[in-house]
Structure formats: structure tokens, C-alpha cells
Amino acid sequence: MQKIYSDIKAMGADVLVVSFAPPALIAAFLAESPQPFPVVADPERKTYQAFGIGSTNLRGFLRLGVIWHYLKLMFRGWFPKGPKGADVWQLGGDFVIDPTGRLRYAHASKDAADRPGNEELLSALRLPPEQDALSGKSA
Amino acid sequence: MTVALGEPVGDVTFLKPDGTPIELRSLLGKPLLLVFLRHLA
């Protein structure tokens, strides 16, 4: 996300990152690892449910693509350090809301390695000309 | 109920790291990418 954040801001769009961790845990994480974008909490996962984001299971984790995804992350120095008791089965997703509050793009992850590419996200954020005019930003 | 493509997202409230609420509609007016995390780190 950090890789395309500046591109997103440059096109006049914005990012909101949502975690199901409690606010205090997010605050501790941000104190240790500041992020350029806002991170908010949905500890009851109401929006996870509203956007159709489900959970995975052990079988889902043992898929070759998921194992390869996490091996690559670990080769780059990443290791999971979530709190004890964290829900490791919860999946994530990426969604674009248009300026009027309507859902214009949805990608609920099907497994732990399933994320849309950066170009797909940037394309989803680009407004059609008529909406761009409404948002006050010229194309 | 799942939000469908093209439909209004409706009233959605999140919590900021300090615990205060923030409404999604206060962030509208430009395209917004919502990224739902699996884990924080």
C-alpha cells in the first residue's frame, strides 16, 4: 500500500485502512510503525461483514500460493507478530467508494494471499469524467 | 446484509486509534480506497 499511496493522493483520491484490532492496539502499532495513511478500527467487524469479507481455514492456508506468498514476505524480513489470541483466519479486502458514497469496486479476498494488483486499484480509483467534474477535480 | 456494487455504503462508523468515532461519510467527496486488513503487522 505504501508503494501506491503517493499515486493515490496525486490523483485526488484517499485511503482508509481498517483493522479489526482494538483501537489501543492500533495506536501501539502506529507508535512503533508510523504509516502515511490513517488506520481505523472496526473491532466488531460489522463492516467486514457488510462488505462480504469472510474467513479462511487451515486448508486455505495450506494452498501453495498462500505458502509462497508468506515465504516471500519472510524472505524480505517480515514475520507475523500479532497479539496472542488474534484471529488468524480473518480475511481482508479492498473496496473503492465513489465521492457520493456508492460502492464502485469490491475485492473480498478469497484466501490470505489474494489481493488485487496496484494497477487494478488505481484504475478503480480513477473517476469517469462526469464524476470527476462533480467532485470538483478536472480530468 | 452485504453492500452491492453501485449501492450506497450507508452509515458506517469506525474508531480512531484514540477510541473516538469517525463516520465514513465525513471522508467522502473524493474516491476512497478502503483496505481491510487481515492483521496489523
Side-chain angles (χ1 to χ4, degrees), chain A:
Chain A
M1 179 48 55
Q2 290 184 356
K3 286 180 186 169
I4 62 166
Y5 183 64
S6 58
D7 293 336
I8 291 172
K9 294 295 281 186
M11 67 168 53
D14 220 332
V15 175
L16 185 67
V17 174
V18 184
S19 168
F20 61 87
L25 208 59
I26 294 174
F29 168 74
L30 293 175
E32 187 181 320
S33 308
Q35 303 295 320
F37 35 75
V39 183
V40 295
D42 175 16
E44 294 179 4
R45 301 185 217 187
K46 286 181 180 172
T47 49
Y48 280 77
Q49 291 162 15
F51 283 86
I53 303 171
S55 299
T56 187
N57 52 32
L58 184 59
R59 193 171 168 187
F61 256 110
L62 293 177
R63 287 185 187 158
L64 194 58
V66 176
I67 293 170
W68 179 239
H69 170 76
Y70 279 96
L71 279 176
K72 282 192 294 185
L73 288 175
M74 286 190 268
F75 278 128
R76 290 183 204 143
W78 176 88
F79 285 93
K81 50 183 177 182
K84 279 188 177 176
D87 183 356
V88 299
W89 309 117
Q90 177 66 56
L91 291 172
D94 299 79
F95 300 82
V96 172
I97 315 295
D98 78 9
T100 67
R102 292 178 185 273
L103 182 64
R104 58 174 290 152
Y105 170 87
H107 184 108
S109 299
K110 293 180 180 61
D111 63 44
D114 177 31
R115 290 289 311 279
N118 290 347
E119 274 310 312
E120 186 173 329
L121 292 176
L122 291 171
S123 174
L125 284 162
R126 279 187 200 102
L127 290 174
E130 66 274 11
Q131 271 202 323
D132 213 11
L134 288 174
S135 75
K137 183 181 179 299
S138 58

